[in-house]
Amino acid sequence: MTVNASWVRAWLDKSATVIAENRTELIRLDREIGDGDHGENMDRGFQAAKAKVDDSTDEAVPANVLKLIASTLISTVGGAAGPLYGTAFLKASGAVAGKNELGPAEIVDLLTAARDGIVLRGKAELGDKTMIDAWTPAVDAASKAADAGATAGAVLEAAAQAAEDGAAATEPLVAHKGRASYLGERAVGHRDPGAQSTALILRVAADTAKEAE
């Protein structure tokens, strides 16, 4: 599979499955330091986005599919996750507008724009114990891989591995954003649910591209 609109569709389809499979775990993580709705909200949003994209026949380029995902997430996902992930996909759409296929540089642009959109919306910084602690290492690793001449699939693999490491690295952090910030030191030892869902989604992005190689 070329990294194109079909890849975005497959990415979304498999992400919806993986989020559903990990719904209970995301709920558990969020109950420990938040309000417990992250898994439920993410599952509802990605199932809705999958249905919307499945019903659409007018998304021939990656940017259009990403934009449809964004609008669906914003309109169906409650809490903080909807606006954050919706903004990420919307900014990603803008970054690859006019591109039929995405090479290593375009993948870096997509990931960077998604991360920057989340920062713009949530005002979080690296180390705040949020999904940015997965997104920023992913962007850095993707950029490094692309500069080294990696393929688009290898760039996504580097991003996915870094996001997984970044999500794990949120466990010893004190939260500085959201409901978890009210817990102070009691948030230490718990993984941020947004960072974990980011790691899941970027792993699917990499695995979906790998299957095409």
Side-chain angles (χ1 to χ4, degrees):
M1 180 188 295
T2 304
V3 180
N4 56 15
S6 294
W7 167 76
V8 180
R9 286 174 176 269
W11 176 21
L12 171 65
D13 186 77
K14 294 178 182 178
S15 290
T17 299
V18 168
I19 290 295
E21 291 172 346
N22 287 273
R23 174 180 176 276
T24 301
E25 175 65 7
L26 293 173
I27 289 172
R28 182 188 69 79
L29 291 174
D30 199 23
R31 278 178 176 163
E32 291 176 346
I33 60 172
D35 50 16
D37 63 358
H38 189 63
E40 181 176 348
N41 286 337
M42 290 292 288
D43 187 27
R44 182 172 61 253
F46 273 79
Q47 295 301 330
K50 178 182 181 302
K52 186 74 74 173
V53 170
D54 285 348
D55 289 342
S56 175
T57 58
D58 189 33
E59 278 70 44
V61 295
N64 290 358
V65 186
L66 291 165
K67 188 174 183 179
L68 184 57
I69 295 170
S71 63
T72 307
L73 291 178
I74 290 171
S75 63
T76 59
V77 181
L84 292 172
Y85 272 111
T87 300
F89 278 93
L90 186 62
K91 295 298 185 182
S93 170
V96 298
K99 306 288 186 181
N100 291 320
E101 296 184 3
L102 307 182
E106 286 79 20
I107 293 296
V108 173
D109 290 343
L110 182 157
L111 294 172
T112 302
R115 187 275 311 274
D116 292 349
I118 294 169
V119 171
L120 181 67
R121 173 68 68 173
K123 312 299 183 189
E125 299 178 353
L126 190 65
D128 281 344
K129 200 181 181 85
T130 73
M131 61 176 69
I132 291 302
D133 291 303
W135 276 100
T136 291
V139 169
D140 292 345
S143 180
K144 184 177 180 180
D147 289 345
T151 64
V155 169
L156 285 165
E157 174 59 33
Q161 183 60 59
E164 290 167 346
D165 293 344
T170 63
E171 293 180 10
L173 298 178
V174 174
H176 297 290
K177 289 287 183 180
R179 191 179 295 269
S181 65
Y182 303 146
L183 298 177
E185 295 288 339
R186 286 180 292 154
V188 172
H190 301 286
R191 184 172 302 201
D192 178 72
Q196 182 62 17
S197 62
T198 294
L200 292 172
I201 291 167
L202 292 184
R203 168 51 59 194
V204 174
D207 289 350
T208 304
K210 187 185 302 179
E211 290 173 3
E213 294 180 345

